[in-house]
Amino acid sequence: MCKRHPSHRGHGGFSLVEVLVAVVIFALGVLGLVRLQATAVKMSTDARQRAEASFLADQLVARMLISDPATAATFRHRPDGTTSCAPSGAASTNPVLLDWLAQVTATFPRALASEQQVLVTGSPPDIVTVRLCWKNSDSDTPHTMEVTNRVQWP
């Protein structure tokens, strides 16, 4: 009697083409996740920097509140010009504002004091507009934040 062995042809496992297709699909998925992670980090950095900029602007307004109302005009810093990150006009010599500008440049290393703008308007001068400008890298487009507040002098 002759025993026949069943043929295993076609059941020999995965072919090389199937394995390559699976590896390509897996690699595309990993690349998508890497890109998603990079976008999440960028958005998180932007949110943190905007929160810090908002805190700095609020801190300046708070410092103005505890100063003498007669010195309000001395807080004006580069009050002319409307171009973002390129204000013009005289720089403030107010020591409180100069200390605040030092904090801005310490928080945002690529932020220049000459790019920040503080407007004090109104009669009496009670409307404060703070325009902050910073970059993350030298080739980055400038990020800006503008905060306007009415100061209620005591």
Side-chain angles (χ1 to χ4, degrees):
M1 229 186 203
C2 193
K3 236 180 180 183
R4 288 191 163 173
H5 294 292
S7 172
H8 292 292
R9 215 173 168 175
H11 299 289
F14 297 107
S15 71
L16 185 58
V17 172
E18 291 170 325
V19 170
L20 287 175
V21 168
V23 167
V24 167
I25 290 172
F26 179 75
L28 288 174
V30 169
L31 286 174
L33 288 174
V34 167
R35 183 175 173 139
L36 180 67
Q37 178 68 24
T39 301
V41 167
K42 182 182 182 312
M43 293 298 163
S44 174
T45 300
D46 286 348
R48 180 184 50 80
Q49 289 176 339
R50 293 210 175 276
E52 288 174 347
S54 179
F55 173 75
L56 286 167
D58 288 342
Q59 189 178 38
L60 177 62
V61 172
R63 288 180 179 188
M64 290 179 74
L65 275 171
I66 61 174
S67 66
D68 184 5
T71 65
T74 66
F75 282 91
R76 290 185 181 120
H77 180 73
R78 306 242 180 233
D80 302 326
T82 57
T83 305
S84 184
C85 299
S88 57
S92 176
T93 57
N94 184 307
V96 173
L97 186 87
L98 294 176
D99 181 54
W100 177 81
L101 286 170
Q103 286 184 334
V104 170
T105 57
T107 303
F108 301 112
R110 289 186 177 85
L112 302 174
S114 62
E115 294 175 341
Q116 314 313 315
Q117 186 177 41
V118 179
L119 306 173
V120 182
T121 58
S123 182
D126 62 349
I127 299 173
V128 179
T129 301
V130 179
R131 292 184 182 137
L132 289 159
C133 178
W134 71 93
K135 291 181 179 181
N136 292 329
S137 66
D138 292 333
S139 62
D140 192 18
T141 57
H143 300 272
T144 60
M145 174 171 269
E146 180 175 323
V147 175
T148 301
N149 202 339
R150 182 176 297 268
V151 177
Q152 300 293 322
W153 301 105

